[in-house]
Amino acid sequence: MPLRVPAAEDERFMREALRLGEKAALVDSTGGPFGCVIVKGGKIIAAGSNQVVKRKDPTWHGEMEAIRAAAKARQTFDLSGCTLYTTSEPCPMCAGAIFWARIDRVVYASTIADALRYGQFDDQPIYEDLAKPIAERLTPAVQCLREEMLELWRRYEAKADRIRY
C-alpha cells in the first residue's frame, strides 16, 4: 500500500532536495542541479547531491549518494518504508537503484524532459537502447564463459546461508 504523506510534508522535504541541488550546481559546481533526501517516519535519514564533476565518477548522482548513505545509516540494503525526494525524475541508473533498494515512494520536482531542455541531460537514448535486444544495443556485448558462470550460479543457489535480496 502506498505511503500517504501530506502535501506540506512533501514540499518541506522537496525544498531540502532543491537546496542540495542548488548548492551542487550553483555554489560548489560539483555537477548538475540534482539533490536528494530519503525520508523514513517523517525524518531525513540520508541526503545526496550530484558529485559527477567533482568526483569524476559518472555514477555519483544525488539519488545514488543518498541511497548509499541511507543503507549505511540503517545497516541494510532494504529501504522499505522510505520515500525518496529528488529534484528531477530519476535517470535509468537511479531508477534501478531505487527499485533494488525497495524504496516505497519517489517524489520528484522536474521531469526528464526538463533536464534535457534546461541542462542538456538526455536520458532518452538510454531508454531506447535498453528496449533493444542486447545484440543491437549501442555498447557491444558479447557473452563469454557461460557454462563456468552457470556452475558458479548453481553453487550460489545451493548455498544454505546466502542472504537473499
Side-chain angles (χ1 to χ4, degrees), residues 143-155:
Q143 193 170 23
C144 179
L145 298 178
R146 180 172 185 253
E147 289 305 317
E148 290 182 31
M149 184 59 206
L150 290 179
E151 177 54 31
L152 176 55
W153 273 121
R154 286 188 280 275
R155 290 173 39 216

Side-chain angles (χ1 to χ4, degrees), residues 58-79:
T59 69
W60 211 301
H61 293 192
E63 297 94 333
M64 299 297 283
E65 184 176 53
I67 289 168
R68 289 177 186 132
K72 184 175 181 180
R74 300 205 57 226
Q75 292 294 294
T76 181
F77 51 80
D78 185 347
L79 300 179

Side-chain angles (χ1 to χ4, degrees), residues 71-142:
K72 184 175 181 180
R74 300 205 57 226
Q75 292 294 294
T76 181
F77 51 80
D78 185 347
L79 300 179
S80 297
C82 293
T83 297
L84 182 142
Y85 294 84
T86 182
T87 55
S88 189
E89 187 178 356
C91 75
M93 174 183 67
C94 293
I98 290 163
F99 175 86
W100 285 113
R102 295 182 179 96
I103 290 170
D104 287 1
R105 185 169 173 263
V106 174
V107 179
Y108 63 94
S110 65
T111 66
I112 289 171
D114 295 331
L116 173 60
R117 163 68 178 84
Y118 295 101
Q120 291 74 52
F121 292 96
D122 192 0
D123 292 348
Q124 194 58 41
I126 301 169
Y127 288 110
E128 290 170 5
D129 200 45
L130 289 173
K132 296 176 186 175
I134 196 163
E136 297 174 21
R137 293 183 188 165
L138 293 173
T139 304
V142 180

Side-chain angles (χ1 to χ4, degrees), residues 11-24:
E11 290 173 7
R12 178 169 59 103
F13 293 125
M14 184 57 74
R15 281 195 177 85
E16 180 59 17
L18 289 166
R19 186 190 69 74
L20 292 168
E22 180 180 28
K23 185 174 186 302

